[in-house]
Amino acid sequence: MTGSSFLTFGMVFAFMALIIAVLYATKRNSRNFSDYAVGGRSFSSWFIAMSYTNSWWPGATYTAFFGLSAGAGVLGLYALAYSLLGVTAMYLMAERAWLWGKRFDLRTQCDMLGLRFDSKAVRVVASLIGVICLFPWLVLGIQAMAVLFQFASFGKWSLAANLSAGVILIAVRQIWTVQMGMRGLVITDLVQGITAYGGSALLCLYLLAFSHDASYANLATLPSQLLSLPGHGGQYGAWYVFSLVMTGVIGSLCWPTSYQRIYTASGVRAVKKGTVQTMIIAGGFYMLLTLVALAASGLAVVHANPQDGWFTLLYHVGGEWLLGLALIIVLAASMGWVDGCVQVCGAQIANDVVQVISPRSDRQMTVIAKASMGVFMLGAAVAAYLAYDFPRLQLLAQMSYQGIVQLSVPLFLGMFWKGGNRTGALASMSVGFLVAAVLTWIYPDDIRALGSLTPGVLALGVNLVVYLACHIWLGQSASEHKRVAELFAAGHARSGDASALAPTHGGQLTPDLYSPRSSK
């Protein structure tokens, strides 16, 4: 690929300038750490929809997952299946999650787990699992940024230069994320989401309708191996696709980046309406992207390197202008996702690890969160360099799912069932995560002897058994039973309900001292 980088870099930096202008126009200092961590719980459904979509589909969607569809065919649709089912789970959790968050001043997913089980240890362990499992995704996001600069420079820059440029660009963007917290992130997610997902959907429609190399007509001539799922012969067994979809669905609301979007909403209605809008946005854009990947799979430049196919296809069809648009789309998706990932990890380290072990003031917690963001970014940049030539990038994403789903047992059962106890919550997710880690080290993709069941699904079964065994063996004390019953009652009550309860931050229930905002 040859060409002038003046146009491509100009388009990239023009978009970056737009995002910075939006940030300057909406900049406001946070009143306290809660405002910093959840943006004042003030955003409408469209902000929630775009923010949730931006937290779900990173720039790596256009590299790792485009490559999966172009190289392995309809297997790429598994991500669409679990995404839509996962958003449905968010819809079902919206009321209780938001009401608990508002009334009990919850700032993170781990905050909720600590409240539900009245346990600091549960809160700390859940936070560490979340941060560890987000790390591979941040690596993928930084690698996507490096690929972006590789194509913007038409291959003239070295790998180190591409990675450094990507990290510097994200670091510049992080100046405002660090200053404004979740408020700045959600506001820019709207602009970035319209660009990344609305823009790519329109571009895909154009390619399918008017280009020869990725047209609808090409779908009728796809080879049979791209139209069959693993499990019907070949290297994978019958349980492989089931395992991928199951971990995706279960893990969708276990991601701290996704769950925290619930707390930024102005009310329950905003969360529920936002999830419906997310289904339309995410489902439509990813389906079109997969169709384009399949239609272009026979093109020589795509077939030679499927993970770079998004860029090579657009350049092949429309030269530097379409390549520039492809770069802007990946930049918008990458910035939104990396920003969310880094912000949430910083908030969790400050709020759910440092604050639990050694309480700090709001100002100190904000400083700790900012410092954590910098360390997290630096570590991911080093890992991105070392793993840059990994042949199947989507495996990094799949491996992270094996760990994050281990939060699901105490998270989902804790939210919808009054049973269980703190010992079971701590033991189940700890044992499940360790089993998943060991098995994933041995079997990074699937366990052939078990019909290609993935390590995370097997570990999840162990996780559930441990949780239920602790419930049967230890049960709940009378005081704990009463506390949980009051907590569930508060998850249904509306403002003005005299029976509503609100604890101080940390989990102990106390009489309601304020009138919570109505969940319209």
Side-chain angles (χ1 to χ4, degrees):
M1 180 186 294
T2 59
S4 171
S5 57
F6 179 79
L7 177 62
T8 52
F9 276 119
M11 294 175 72
V12 167
F13 288 112
F15 180 74
M16 185 68 179
L18 171 64
I19 296 299
I20 292 174
V22 171
L23 287 165
Y24 265 117
T26 58
K27 186 177 179 181
R28 188 195 75 187
N29 292 328
S30 300
R31 295 185 297 271
N32 49 46
F33 189 74
S34 288
D35 191 31
Y36 182 82
V38 296
R41 309 182 202 274
S42 59
F43 291 99
S44 65
S45 63
W46 277 112
F47 281 99
I48 300 304
M50 282 301 185
S51 185
Y52 187 82
T53 305
N54 231 183
S55 76
W56 193 250
W57 296 113
T61 304
Y62 299 91
T63 54
F65 285 91
F66 185 96
L68 177 65
S69 297
V74 294
L75 175 61
L77 289 173
Y78 91 89
L80 177 64
Y82 78 67
S83 297
L84 296 181
L85 290 171
V87 176
T88 303
M90 183 179 177
Y91 184 93
L92 297 174
M93 295 172 68
E95 179 172 354
R96 184 164 295 153
W98 190 88
L99 286 173
W100 282 356
K102 170 64 178 175
R103 296 182 179 186
F104 305 153
D105 190 27
L106 304 182
R107 301 155 180 171
T108 65
Q109 178 192 75
C110 313
D111 238 352
M112 192 283 291
L113 284 167
L115 169 71
R116 168 60 179 84
F117 295 101
D118 193 21
S119 170
K120 293 181 178 180
V122 167
R123 188 171 158 191
V124 171
V125 171
S127 178
L128 294 176
I129 289 175
V131 170
I132 291 170
C133 292
L134 278 172
F135 189 76
W137 280 95
L138 183 56
V139 171
L140 286 174
I142 292 176
Q143 287 183 337
M145 291 295 295
V147 174
L148 184 153
F149 278 98
Q150 175 190 341
F151 280 92
S153 66
F154 292 92
K156 297 174 184 176
W157 289 11
S158 67
L159 170 58
N162 291 329
L163 281 170
S164 298
V167 171
I168 290 171
L169 188 66
I170 289 294
V172 171
R173 171 64 181 83
Q174 286 293 310
I175 292 172
W176 288 272
T177 299
V178 169
Q179 289 179 348
M180 297 176 65
M182 186 60 79
R183 173 180 167 79
L185 189 149
V186 173
I187 289 172
T188 54
D189 273 349
L190 183 66
V191 180
Q192 291 162 180
I194 292 171
T195 302
Y197 312 110
S200 64
L202 292 175
L203 198 51
C204 287
L205 285 172
Y206 167 77
L207 292 170
L208 291 167
F210 300 109
S211 74
H212 172 74
D213 298 298
S215 70
Y216 279 115
N218 293 356
L219 299 175
T221 59
L222 289 175
S224 59
Q225 63 266 28
L226 294 183
L227 298 175
S228 62
L229 292 172
H232 300 282
Q235 64 174 326
Y236 291 110
W239 291 103
Y240 185 64
V241 175
F242 166 81
S243 297
L244 293 181
V245 175
M246 182 179 178
T247 51
V249 172
I250 294 175
S252 59
L253 256 293
C254 294
W255 290 111
T257 48
S258 301
Y259 193 92
Q260 195 168 15
R261 267 54 183 180
I262 295 175
Y263 292 151
T264 65
S266 59
V268 174
R269 184 179 179 184
V271 181
K272 290 190 172 184
K273 189 176 178 181
T275 57
V276 175
Q277 292 164 343
T278 299
M279 292 181 188
I280 299 170
I281 298 167
F285 125 80
Y286 189 79
M287 172 61 77
L288 290 170
L289 185 69
T290 302
L291 291 176
V292 167
L294 290 171
S297 60
L299 188 65
V301 291
V302 174
H303 181 75
N305 193 346
Q307 290 177 164
D308 291 343
W310 172 250
F311 302 105
T312 54
L313 170 65
L314 269 294
Y315 181 75
H316 181 80
V317 171
E320 295 173 7
W321 280 101
L322 280 190
L323 176 61
L325 289 177
L327 294 171
I328 289 174
I329 286 168
V330 174
L331 175 62
S334 296
M335 282 201 302
W337 197 92
V338 171
D339 286 346
C341 178
V342 172
Q343 197 279 337
V344 167
C345 286
Q348 285 198 174
I349 291 170
N351 186 70
D352 303 308
V353 179
V354 175
Q355 179 71 358
V356 171
I357 295 173
S358 179
R360 294 285 190 268
S361 66
D362 273 9
R363 182 177 178 278
Q364 290 173 321
M365 287 174 66
T366 303
V367 171
I368 292 168
K370 293 175 180 180
S372 301
M373 293 177 193
V375 173
F376 202 61
M377 276 288 294
L378 181 61
V382 174
Y385 179 84
L386 296 175
Y388 189 78
D389 292 324
F390 194 63
R392 292 180 59 191
L393 288 177
Q394 92 281 355
L395 277 181
L396 287 177
Q398 290 172 204
M399 290 164 67
S400 67
Y401 267 97
Q402 314 306 325
I404 200 66
V405 295
Q406 307 311 320
L407 295 179
S408 65
V409 171
L411 180 63
F412 294 156
L413 291 185
M415 181 165 285
F416 294 111
W417 180 45
K418 296 179 183 179
N421 51 60
R422 70 188 68 171
T423 302
L426 183 62
S428 66
M429 63 181 176
S430 299
V431 171
F433 183 77
L434 289 174
V435 171
V438 171
L439 289 177
T440 301
W441 180 265
I442 301 171
Y443 307 102
D445 194 356
D446 65 312
I447 305 174
R448 308 289 173 84
L450 298 178
S452 288
L453 204 68
T454 57
V457 174
L458 184 59
L460 189 61
V462 176
N463 185 332
L464 179 60
V465 169
V466 171
Y467 186 89
L468 295 177
C470 288
H471 170 73
I472 294 170
W473 182 31
L474 300 174
Q476 289 180 335
S477 65
S479 60
E480 176 66 2
H481 182 78
K482 180 175 182 294
R483 188 191 71 85
V484 173
E486 292 174 342
L487 182 60
F488 270 66
H492 288 295
R494 297 292 190 270
S495 64
D497 186 343
S499 67
L501 300 175
T504 57
H505 191 79
Q508 296 299 320
L509 289 170
T510 59
D512 191 359
L513 301 179
Y514 68 97
S515 178
R517 183 185 305 173
S518 174
S519 56
K520 298 180 181 179

